[in-house]
Amino acid sequence: MAELQELVFHNNTEGESSNAAPQKSELTVDEIIEQHVGSFGFSQLLHVFLVSLAWMFDSQNTLVTIFSDAQPQWRCKGSSSSCSVHRSICELEKGSWEWVGGSKSSTIAEWGLICDKKFRAGVPASLFFVGSLLGSAVHGRLADKYLGRKKTVLLSCLLTAITSFVTSFSPNVWVYAFLRFSNGFARSGIGICCLVLSTETVGRKWRGQVGQYGFFFFTIGFLSLPLIAYPARRSWRNLYKVISILPLAYSLLIIPFISESPRWLAIKGRTDEAMGVLTKLAKLNGKVIPTNIAISNSTTSTRVHSSQRNLWSAKWARKRIVTMMIAGFGIGFVYYGVQLNVENLNFNLYFTVGVNAVMEIPAVFLGSVFLSFTGRRILFTSSAFLAGVSCILCILFSKKAKSKASWPQLSVEAVGFMAASMAFDVLYIYCVELFATNVRNFAVSMLRQALMLGAAIAPLLVVLGRLNPKLSFLIFGVLAVISGSITFWLPETKNAPLYDTLEQQEQQEKEEKLSSAPEREMELVGVAT
């Protein structure tokens, strides 16, 4: 009887244990993506596509001044004997000439920003990038600390649409400059948040390619600009009204279908929401996350402590971000400056802008290919050096007569712009991988500030280039080479994990250095033997 009772008790115990809920297995967001969601499936492709669409009107609002603030062609009026097309416009009598496209074709034509007022023409573009500089810091902090990536993109898109539309009603150059500053502040959240939001949903080996995917849409926006500007060539105000439509439509029709970053939700302690996003991504990929999988609470347990540490609290992080900002200043100066400087190449403006826009396509394609097997650091350095050498070669191929176009110069300039574009794209991806999730958006925003600071000074050099194009190309070349040289000491991040906190990153990188030290010693011993 006792044996029977013991057998019944044993069976009941087995039944209870078999019916008990399986023990939870805690994994990081990175591990869940790699093991259960898929490194890069249909869901991530769709998500990245929707997010990256925003780069199109980010590009349009950034580069619109190439057309709206361009100095149009002029011609002599009637049979005026005091007018000659071979003389400087500043030497002619006021009523003896006229603008070919009419006085409303550009801000320079409408407000007479020539001769003694010529440097005023560069002020709006410079203030746009100053606004982008300040806006990057604000949007970066909002995205990391308060709103998250998705809501910050929504805010930035809405403000971009509003400021772009209001700009079309500017009564004078100073109001116009202020509204360009506001537009730059508004659009600055698009690029940094879209890049981070795209890369934080894919596996580590796809981060570089996904980052390039966004820049491809930036290129599409660039390519679309001449097509939009040409029909509006007689009214720069209409140009601003047209480009204000896209960000508004995107905010209303596309953003509701975009998911928040699961990494950001996890470090904020919103693990249920993060798991919901991951589950949705896995479902679209035809996969199922096991019910016993949970997001590791190691990040959430330290998030309060981590919030007290920022990017400037760790010496190694400070060195990295300062280096990235110095490199970013030079590349931003060259990348935006070369685009704005196309008017000094003595070719049709729409043609040269189209050539530069087309050169962004091989830059994105080659960047994606090289990023799959080449280190970020060496790729950035090589691209920056090529851009610098090409800009300097533009001096050698320039024509003595300003009215003559040089096809070799245009070809070299196009190659230099392609290299600068590649360096610009790679630098963003490199920055994303250098810093932990809790400061990643802020780090990218700091890089963005440096890029925009360089871009803010570039328009003034372009105005100077109207008098001396060789000097502008020389400065572009020297800055590109310096930017490529300064990143030599930074660590390589290819296939490195994305850390959640600064503490975790610091600890893991120290452990990797200690573990790799004996291996290096063994290699040296082997070589000596």
Side-chain angles (χ1 to χ4, degrees):
M1 187 66 180
E3 292 179 359
L4 183 60
Q5 289 177 345
E6 185 179 346
L7 182 60
V8 171
F9 175 77
H10 179 71
N11 290 337
N12 289 339
T13 304
E14 282 188 348
E16 289 175 4
S17 61
S18 63
N19 293 330
Q23 187 177 1
K24 288 284 185 179
S25 177
E26 291 189 349
L27 300 175
T28 64
V29 174
D30 215 9
E31 291 170 336
I32 294 174
I33 290 175
E34 296 284 356
Q35 298 174 23
H36 301 287
V37 175
S39 186
F40 188 72
F42 175 75
S43 63
Q44 286 109 323
L45 177 63
L46 179 61
H47 180 263
V48 171
F49 171 76
L50 295 178
V51 171
S52 300
L53 285 173
W55 284 89
M56 292 175 58
F57 43 86
D58 181 41
S59 172
Q60 292 168 351
N61 280 270
T62 301
L63 303 173
V64 64
T65 50
I66 294 176
F67 297 102
S68 64
D69 298 2
Q71 181 168 312
Q73 294 180 334
W74 60 276
R75 62 191 172 199
C76 293
K77 245 186 199 181
S79 57
S80 176
S81 57
S82 62
C83 179
S84 172
V85 293
H86 299 293
R87 295 174 63 186
S88 169
I89 198 173
C90 301
E91 300 173 357
L92 302 177
E93 294 181 9
K94 192 172 182 180
S96 62
W97 59 274
E98 63 182 356
W99 299 111
V100 173
S103 61
K104 304 294 183 181
S105 59
S106 79
T107 57
I108 289 180
E110 181 168 346
W111 295 319
L113 306 180
I114 55 174
C115 303
D116 59 328
K117 298 179 181 178
K118 61 179 176 292
F119 281 101
R120 293 184 187 180
V123 172
S126 292
L127 285 182
F128 172 86
F129 290 115
V130 172
S132 297
L133 186 154
L134 299 177
S136 295
V138 174
H139 286 110
R141 189 161 184 81
L142 285 175
D144 275 338
K145 295 289 185 182
Y146 306 107
L147 298 181
R149 285 67 161 124
K150 177 182 175 179
K151 290 182 180 178
T152 305
V153 171
L154 174 61
L155 176 65
S156 188
C157 288
L158 289 174
L159 291 177
T160 298
I162 294 169
T163 53
S164 182
F165 184 75
V166 174
T167 300
S168 66
F169 297 98
S170 303
N172 55 57
V173 67
W174 304 116
V175 174
Y176 175 69
F178 171 75
L179 290 172
R180 287 299 293 158
F181 169 86
S182 304
N183 186 243
F185 186 95
R187 53 74 64 172
S188 59
I190 296 174
I192 55 177
C193 293
C194 287
L195 178 64
V196 174
L197 188 55
S198 295
T199 54
E200 288 187 339
T201 58
V202 301
R204 64 180 65 178
K205 73 176 183 179
W206 288 98
R207 292 196 302 258
Q209 290 86 336
V210 164
Q212 292 292 98
Y213 197 78
F215 296 125
F216 176 74
F217 280 90
F218 188 91
T219 302
I220 293 177
F222 191 8
L223 277 168
S224 69
L225 201 52
L227 303 178
I228 298 172
Y230 187 77
R233 61 190 180 279
R234 294 191 177 277
S235 175
W236 65 268
R237 298 179 186 273
N238 289 341
L239 178 57
Y240 276 99
K241 290 174 183 175
V242 172
I243 66 171
S244 69
I245 298 172
L246 272 178
L248 179 62
Y250 180 84
S251 302
L252 300 176
L253 303 177
I254 304 298
I255 287 185
F257 297 97
I258 294 174
S259 301
E260 180 57 88
S261 165
R263 297 180 190 272
W264 182 81
L265 291 170
I267 67 167
K268 288 298 176 182
R270 297 159 60 178
T271 53
D272 290 341
E273 294 177 58
M275 185 56 75
V277 172
L278 293 170
T279 302
K280 184 170 70 172
L281 293 174
K283 184 177 180 181
L284 285 174
N285 284 345
K287 298 186 177 183
V288 177
I289 300 177
T291 55
N292 66 323
I293 297 296
I295 294 176
S296 172
N297 63 2
S298 59
T299 301
T300 58
S301 63
T302 59
R303 68 187 179 92
V304 176
H305 175 66
S306 297
S307 65
Q308 299 171 357
R309 293 194 64 187
N310 55 40
L311 191 61
W312 307 105
S313 62
K315 185 178 179 180
W316 61 271
R318 288 198 301 271
K319 286 183 178 179
R320 288 185 188 182
I321 194 60
V322 169
T323 302
M324 294 296 286
M325 290 177 70
I326 294 173
F329 171 82
I331 291 300
F333 190 97
V334 175
Y335 176 73
Y336 288 109
V338 169
Q339 292 179 74
L340 298 172
N341 200 48
V342 292
E343 64 178 83
N344 295 324
L345 293 174
N346 297 318
F347 279 88
N348 177 273
L349 182 61
Y350 295 93
F351 175 73
T352 51
V353 171
V355 168
N356 275 355
V358 168
M359 293 307 292
E360 291 243 35
I361 297 176
V364 173
F365 175 75
L366 292 175
S368 299
V369 173
F370 288 139
L371 281 169
S372 62
F373 62 86
T374 308
R376 279 60 165 141
R377 182 178 56 195
I378 188 65
L379 181 56
F380 169 75
T381 300
S382 303
S383 302
F385 281 177
L386 178 58
V389 172
S390 299
C391 287
I392 294 173
L393 287 176
C394 282
I395 300 172
L396 303 178
F397 291 114
S398 61
K399 296 281 187 180
K400 290 184 178 180
K402 291 186 177 181
S403 59
K404 293 184 178 180
S406 171
W407 284 98
Q409 185 188 41
L410 177 63
S411 302
V412 173
E413 186 271 347
V415 172
F417 176 70
M418 181 192 71
S421 177
M422 191 184 303
F424 185 92
D425 299 350
V426 172
L427 191 62
Y428 263 119
I429 296 166
Y430 196 16
C431 186
V432 167
E433 297 178 341
L434 274 173
F435 299 97
T437 300
N438 68 320
V439 296
R440 184 171 298 124
N441 231 94
F442 183 70
V444 175
S445 74
M446 294 300 294
L447 171 63
R448 181 77 166 226
Q449 288 182 68
L451 289 163
M452 293 305 103
L453 181 60
I457 301 174
L460 301 178
L461 182 63
V462 172
V463 173
L464 183 63
R466 292 170 185 163
L467 303 176
N468 189 350
K470 293 183 180 180
L471 178 61
S472 61
F473 281 117
L474 177 63
I475 295 175
F476 287 143
V478 171
L479 273 177
V481 172
I482 292 174
S483 298
S485 304
I486 200 170
T487 57
F488 275 136
W489 73 273
L490 289 174
E492 181 52 57
T493 59
K494 186 176 183 294
N495 291 331
L498 288 182
Y499 301 101
D500 292 324
T501 64
L502 284 173
E503 291 86 356
Q504 181 191 23
Q505 183 173 3
E506 187 173 3
Q507 181 181 355
Q508 291 291 330
E509 289 185 354
K510 282 182 179 179
E511 291 177 359
E512 288 175 7
K513 285 183 180 179
L514 291 174
S515 63
S516 61
E519 294 178 5
R520 288 197 300 268
E521 290 179 3
M522 291 297 292
E523 289 176 1
L524 291 174
V525 170
V527 171
T529 304

